[in-house]
Amino acid sequence: METITDLIDKIYAGTFPAAMRTQLLADIAQARDVIKLPRKAHWDEQDVVLISYADQFREADKPTLSTFSRFYQQHLQSIFPLVHLLPFFPWSSDDGFSVIDYHQVDPLCGDWQDVARLHQETRLMFDFVCNHMSSHSAWFRHFLAQDPGWDDFFISMPPATDLSAVTRPRTSPLLTPFQMADGETRFIWTTFSADQIDLNFANPMVLLRMVNVLLDYLKRGADYVRLDAVGYMWKTPGTRCIHLEKTHQLVKLFRAIADIVAPGTVIITETNVPHQDNISYLGNGHDEAQMVYQFSLPPLVLHGIHTGSARALRQWASSLDLSSNDTTFFNFLASHDGIGLNPARGILSEVEIVALVRDLALEGALVSYKNNPDGSTSPYEINVTYLDALNRETDDATRLQRFLLAHAILLAFPGVPAIYIQSILGSRNHYDGVRAAGHNRAINRQKYSLKEIEAALAGGDWLRQQIYTHLGKLIQLRRRQPAFHPDNPMTLYDSENALLVMRRHQPESGDGLLCVFNLGGRPVETRLPVAHTLQDVVSGRKVDGTQPVRLDAWQFMWLR
């Protein structure tokens, strides 16, 4: 509690009202007393996360969470021990990330009992959409109505204010006009869209209410809590308004609350930004997030396979700080968003980034842009399924091999891996969804009738069935390898340009796996950095380390 009060004093410089402080501490103490569900104490090689929407699968007249639970138990439970349910609250846009009510379940999905029933089958990760909420929310309606107690809940700014320094992740206006009850037009801060209204954490009442949202999720059993778009939480005009010190202090406060209320809860920050800014949310290793999304991995793996060169991926991986066992990376290739390009900046040259964007656009990917302070625009993310990103213009057998190669890299990297539902389902670009929704990200957010997807996985769609089968087996194999414990070190070796060669091993015993990946489209011969016989745990075949080893195009081996 002392840490919590110290952070409140730092954030609000002694202006936090005493009555609110008393209420906040009482709410935390009450939550601590009622939470009985234990959390897993630490992560290990068993932890692989499935990312999915709660309404991913549909049946007539049934809540989608009930349908999802049945699909999960029959098809996914043996593969994934933890499920990240993307926002399942009432929403008005952005497929859930414009939340109308933080404390309710979208009636289409079901209710909190449906969430609890799913939680009996798996550990769960919730989204805490802490930066903004829907313009259709009761909170914003109170603000517009100028009801007592709702002043400054959101950020009003004179339209002439110089906000040119503010970091912009979108090309939409930063300020959106809304009419107040007294007829005045106010310009309200909207980082992501006119329907996503940024909360004003400078108002202590906002903090009090948002802490109660976090406490509600912890009471509901959230094992992991994802802080969405967290880097933008605090605004100070004249600055970049991203990664400000008070934002980091808010994350530390959320962490301290989770630690005291539900020990073992993992706080994960989602900041789609360059690598050094991203890892700053790990704090000193003990006081901020336990995990950060590893945003650099998706574009670097994609670039490596597209160019047939592991150079950039190898150099970046060798720079990762893996010294702490109290923090780790949340690794992924695909998500409900696009493939972010900002995290590749400073690792790939702008020429390489533009070339990748151009090549993918020629193959059918869509591209989203951001505004720069000088008035120009830059590509912000590539909107595409990861399967089609790896090469849409090829045969299915090649597409499958490249896809499995990418995921073998993901599963071998230090950290906790996460697989997006569209990846395990082998989904292709969903252009009809883009036309219907009117935004690019819908290309990778397809929803399915239960009957349709089960028929496809049973063999009605060869590529889907092959990806589901082979990727599922690869994940299960990964979970049986102690060498892949997130805390175990990674050693990278110099090798041919197309090859990525790494070793993961247990420090105590020295037992480990030598992982070799050929990112190129041609066979490669190489000498391994060991001189004894190994066994590929993927194929089962023996490999003589005293002789040159041949890897076919896009082949990978996990060698014991």
Side-chain angles (χ1 to χ4, degrees):
M1 287 295 196
E2 184 178 347
T3 299
I4 291 169
T5 56
D6 285 349
L7 284 165
I8 290 171
D9 288 339
K10 287 179 181 177
I11 296 167
Y12 294 96
T15 64
F16 202 85
M20 284 191 192
R21 181 193 298 262
T22 300
Q23 183 64 57
L24 181 67
L25 297 178
D27 291 342
I28 292 169
Q30 187 271 341
R32 178 188 58 195
D33 292 341
V34 302
I35 291 176
K36 305 301 181 187
L37 290 173
R39 269 66 172 176
K40 186 174 179 177
H42 198 64
W43 45 77
D44 58 32
E45 68 276 5
Q46 286 279 331
D47 294 320
V48 181
V49 181
L50 173 71
I51 305 169
S52 178
Y53 285 100
D55 64 344
Q56 188 62 55
F57 309 113
R58 301 184 180 185
E59 295 176 281
D61 303 319
K62 290 188 178 180
T64 60
L65 272 167
S66 173
T67 301
F68 178 87
S69 293
R70 185 157 72 83
F71 185 89
Y72 170 77
Q73 290 176 53
Q74 293 178 1
H75 302 284
L76 298 170
Q77 191 170 29
S78 64
I79 304 171
F80 300 101
L82 199 152
V83 175
H84 172 200
L85 282 179
L86 292 160
F88 49 83
F89 320 107
W91 56 280
S92 55
S93 63
D94 198 17
D95 287 321
F97 283 91
S98 186
V99 177
I100 292 174
D101 187 337
Y102 291 111
H103 297 282
Q104 298 298 321
V105 175
D106 185 343
L108 173 71
C109 300
D111 56 29
W112 282 112
Q113 287 186 331
D114 292 299
V115 176
R117 279 189 284 269
L118 177 60
H119 198 224
Q120 291 174 356
E121 306 297 333
T122 181
R123 291 148 64 215
L124 290 177
M125 175 171 164
F126 288 7
D127 272 288
F128 183 22
V129 186
C130 52
N131 178 72
H132 52 263
M133 69 185 310
S134 170
S135 66
H136 298 267
S137 64
W139 293 12
F140 193 58
R141 288 200 306 272
H142 284 305
F143 171 78
L144 294 179
Q146 297 175 292
D147 291 337
W150 293 89
D151 295 343
D152 300 322
F153 238 74
F154 305 92
I155 303 168
S156 303
M157 197 68 56
T161 305
D162 182 5
L163 300 174
S164 58
V166 175
T167 297
R168 297 294 296 119
R170 300 286 186 273
T171 55
S172 57
L174 179 61
L175 301 179
T176 300
F178 288 92
Q179 189 171 38
M180 308 298 290
D182 63 4
E184 176 194 2
T185 296
R186 288 197 199 169
F187 288 80
I188 311 300
W189 200 295
T190 53
T191 296
F192 293 96
S193 78
D195 187 43
Q196 293 168 297
I197 316 298
D198 288 53
L199 289 151
N200 181 18
F201 277 92
N203 180 345
M205 182 57 77
V206 170
L207 178 73
L208 186 65
R209 285 184 174 268
M210 293 304 283
V211 165
N212 272 282
V213 174
L214 174 61
L215 293 175
D216 193 17
Y217 296 168
L218 296 176
K219 292 176 189 177
R220 302 287 187 180
D223 298 272
Y224 286 19
V225 177
R226 174 187 184 269
L227 305 184
D228 175 67
V230 68
Y232 299 93
M233 272 200 301
W234 197 278
K235 282 80 172 175
T236 302
T239 72
R240 295 172 61 216
C241 295
I242 187 172
H243 316 314
L244 299 185
E245 179 59 26
K246 288 185 186 293
T247 291
H248 282 281
Q249 290 168 350
L250 285 169
V251 177
K252 292 176 182 180
L253 179 62
F254 295 154
R255 164 72 184 274
I257 291 169
D259 280 351
I260 195 171
V261 168
T265 302
V266 175
I267 299 293
I268 307 177
T269 50
E270 185 264 341
T271 51
N272 191 350
V273 295
H275 182 71
Q276 289 305 314
D277 291 326
N278 188 28
I279 61 175
S280 70
Y281 287 87
L282 296 175
N284 66 13
H286 307 282
D287 65 343
E288 209 161 336
Q290 288 102 325
M291 295 186 196
V292 297
Y293 269 69
Q294 186 56 286
F295 274 104
S296 297
L297 192 61
L300 291 179
V301 170
L302 182 58
H303 172 266
I305 296 177
H306 257 266
T307 61
S309 169
R311 174 193 54 82
L313 181 59
R314 185 188 310 113
Q315 289 179 353
W316 166 76
S318 66
S319 72
L320 296 178
D321 182 0
L322 305 173
S323 59
S324 172
N325 291 341
D326 297 313
T327 62
T328 194
F329 295 108
F330 189 81
N331 294 326
F332 71 106
L333 294 179
S335 75
H336 62 286
D337 290 338
I339 300 168
L341 296 171
N342 277 356
R345 291 188 161 95
I347 303 168
L348 300 177
S349 70
E350 199 64 24
V351 171
E352 290 173 309
I353 291 173
V354 170
L356 181 63
V357 170
R358 181 195 63 229
D359 291 347
L360 287 169
L362 289 173
E363 292 183 2
L366 306 178
V367 183
S368 296
Y369 291 82
K370 67 180 182 74
N371 284 338
N372 298 320
D374 63 3
S376 64
T377 60
S378 299
Y380 173 74
E381 66 179 17
I382 303 169
N383 302 111
V384 61
T385 67
Y386 214 81
L387 180 60
D388 278 336
L390 285 167
N391 201 328
R392 193 169 64 92
E393 302 296 339
T394 189
D395 61 275
D396 279 352
T398 301
R399 187 174 287 118
L400 173 65
Q401 184 60 35
R402 289 159 68 100
F403 194 67
L404 292 175
L405 166 66
H407 284 82
I409 296 172
L410 165 70
L411 294 168
F413 252 74
V416 172
I419 309 289
Y420 185 37
I421 188 74
Q422 305 293 352
S423 294
I424 192 73
L425 297 180
S427 298
R428 310 296 301 277
N429 288 341
H430 185 41
Y431 295 111
D432 288 344
V434 174
R435 286 187 285 269
H439 59 81
N440 288 354
R441 285 179 167 177
I443 200 169
N444 197 20
R445 297 179 178 180
Q446 188 172 4
K447 310 293 173 64
Y448 302 96
S449 75
L450 183 66
K451 184 177 180 180
E452 168 194 6
I453 197 63
E454 288 189 325
L457 296 183
D461 183 319
W462 183 87
L463 186 58
R464 282 194 191 276
Q465 191 270 337
Q466 290 292 304
I467 286 175
Y468 165 74
T469 299
H470 289 287
L471 181 53
K473 288 180 178 178
L474 191 64
I475 295 168
Q476 290 170 324
L477 179 63
R478 188 261 189 203
R479 294 178 61 204
R480 296 196 295 269
Q481 310 304 319
F484 287 144
H485 190 294
D487 295 346
N488 285 343
M490 170 179 63
T491 303
L492 290 149
Y493 298 93
D494 290 334
S495 60
E496 288 79 357
N497 185 54
L499 296 184
L500 179 68
V501 182
M502 69 166 75
R503 184 169 182 260
R504 299 290 311 283
H505 67 277
Q506 298 168 271
E508 300 82 12
S509 66
D511 294 339
L513 292 173
L514 183 68
C515 303
V516 188
F517 309 93
N518 180 9
L519 277 65
R522 298 177 181 176
V524 176
E525 277 201 353
T526 189
R527 284 196 172 273
L528 300 178
V530 293
H532 49 261
T533 301
L534 305 106
Q535 183 174 30
D536 181 6
V537 299
V538 178
S539 67
R541 76 182 183 92
K542 303 279 191 195
V543 174
D544 184 356
T546 66
Q547 301 296 320
V549 174
R550 173 189 165 97
L551 284 91
D552 292 331
W554 306 302
Q555 184 182 352
F556 60 90
M557 296 185 289
W558 292 345
L559 300 169
R560 180 183 292 120

